[in-house]
Amino acid sequence: MNSAVDLLRHALNLVIRRPLTTVSVVAPALVLMCGVGLITAVMAPELLTLDPTGPELQNVKSVKLALILLTTFILSYALMAILWHRHTLSETGNPSPMSASLVFGYLWRVMALAFIQLVAGLVLVVPLIAAGHNNGASGETPALISMLLTTFVTQLLMLWLSLRLSLILPAAALGRPIKIKQSWRYTRPISRTLWGVAAGLAFINTTLTALVTSFELTQPAYVLALELPIYIIEGLLIFSVLTTLYAQQIQRKDPDGL
């Protein structure tokens, strides 16, 4: 698997070649995720319509409830990732039994990666976002183009960094943890290819962001119905990319055999 296109195509094929199997594998996480979404739509609908680029937190009625819902959603997303990694690597990874400690180990690694990305974002991405907003201040159309361009470049940088570090996640899902520096070392030979993979994922994310924005939805139920499936599909695609990278770079397996 020598190109970013091949890697992305293989990851997509993992998700769509047996759609019923895909749904059944991650069904527990999907049930939890949909439950959180429905509770949010009923009890805290303002969370679904917050502007992520400039959220007005004073509109949040209950910070405690918001934190509980956000934490549960993150847990459901992590559970989906664990289930998917264990399924796609089951024949080659010999996963350890599922346990609470395995889930906890996965979660704290997610938090460690999030912290690294936060620091990188403050150093690299925030000035880029600020420049994009300034360049788009002259009119609506330039502002939209500037926003999309800034979103793409931001996601390109952050996704490339994430791909270099995130092999710790499928490893943790299998119960065979590795260190972040090991993930960086394992992905060094394909670091240039990962720019192409990150560009492809960033293009998909940016396109979907533009699609969601174009609908200008204000009803929480409609926002949930549109955005939740997008989050799930994007998540499965990224998890499949990590699965493929793990098999290729650590297990030295032919990804086509997954």
Side-chain angles (χ1 to χ4, degrees), residues 129-210:
I129 294 176
H133 284 310
N134 291 335
N135 292 335
S138 58
E140 183 176 345
T141 300
L144 177 60
I145 295 174
S146 178
M147 181 193 74
L148 292 176
L149 180 60
T150 301
T151 299
F152 174 80
V153 175
T154 300
Q155 292 195 11
L156 174 63
L157 294 172
M158 301 309 291
L159 282 167
W160 181 83
L161 178 63
S162 179
L163 291 172
R164 292 294 308 272
L165 303 179
S166 291
L167 293 191
I168 65 172
L169 298 182
L174 294 175
R176 303 181 180 281
I178 63 173
K179 297 179 180 179
I180 289 179
K181 64 180 180 181
Q182 290 177 290
S183 177
W184 185 267
R185 187 174 72 247
Y186 280 127
T187 56
R188 184 180 296 127
I190 57 168
S191 59
R192 292 184 179 180
T193 299
L194 292 183
W195 280 112
V197 176
L201 293 173
F203 176 78
I204 293 171
N205 290 344
T206 302
T207 301
L208 292 175
T209 297

Side-chain angles (χ1 to χ4, degrees), residues 1-250:
M1 188 166 297
N2 298 320
S3 72
V5 173
D6 289 338
L7 200 154
L8 285 170
R9 183 171 58 242
H10 181 270
L12 180 61
N13 187 49
L14 283 178
V15 178
I16 66 174
R17 67 182 174 187
R18 297 188 184 94
L20 293 180
T21 300
T22 298
V23 173
S24 65
V25 167
V26 298
L30 295 182
V31 170
L32 181 57
M33 202 176 298
C34 292
V36 173
L38 291 174
I39 292 173
T40 303
V42 173
M43 300 182 64
E46 69 278 2
L47 296 178
L48 296 172
T49 55
L50 285 176
D51 181 2
T53 62
E56 298 180 2
L57 298 181
Q58 66 272 17
N59 293 334
V60 178
K61 297 177 183 178
S62 173
V63 175
K64 182 178 179 180
L65 177 60
L67 290 175
I68 292 173
L69 291 171
L70 178 60
T71 301
T72 309
F73 184 81
I74 292 173
L75 176 62
S76 68
Y77 217 73
L79 179 60
M80 181 171 71
I82 292 170
L83 292 172
W84 188 243
H85 287 317
R86 291 172 67 84
H87 167 71
T88 52
L89 292 167
S90 60
E91 295 183 2
T92 60
N94 191 23
S96 301
M98 190 76 161
S99 64
S101 61
L102 185 146
V103 175
F104 177 76
Y106 190 95
L107 284 173
W108 80 253
R109 286 173 174 83
V110 169
M111 290 186 287
L113 287 175
F115 178 76
I116 292 173
Q117 288 184 310
L118 175 63
V119 173
L122 292 175
V123 174
L124 301 174
V125 177
V126 170
L128 181 64
I129 294 176
H133 284 310
N134 291 335
N135 292 335
S138 58
E140 183 176 345
T141 300
L144 177 60
I145 295 174
S146 178
M147 181 193 74
L148 292 176
L149 180 60
T150 301
T151 299
F152 174 80
V153 175
T154 300
Q155 292 195 11
L156 174 63
L157 294 172
M158 301 309 291
L159 282 167
W160 181 83
L161 178 63
S162 179
L163 291 172
R164 292 294 308 272
L165 303 179
S166 291
L167 293 191
I168 65 172
L169 298 182
L174 294 175
R176 303 181 180 281
I178 63 173
K179 297 179 180 179
I180 289 179
K181 64 180 180 181
Q182 290 177 290
S183 177
W184 185 267
R185 187 174 72 247
Y186 280 127
T187 56
R188 184 180 296 127
I190 57 168
S191 59
R192 292 184 179 180
T193 299
L194 292 183
W195 280 112
V197 176
L201 293 173
F203 176 78
I204 293 171
N205 290 344
T206 302
T207 301
L208 292 175
T209 297
L211 176 64
V212 171
T213 303
S214 68
F215 283 102
E216 298 182 348
L217 298 177
T218 57
Q219 294 297 320
Y222 294 153
V223 173
L224 178 65
L226 178 62
E227 293 190 358
L228 185 58
I230 290 176
Y231 287 144
I232 293 170
I233 293 171
E234 286 183 332
L236 287 173
L237 179 59
I238 292 174
F239 304 152
S240 295
V241 168
L242 295 181
T243 285
T244 305
L245 289 176
Y246 182 86
Q248 178 182 342
Q249 299 304 120
I250 295 181

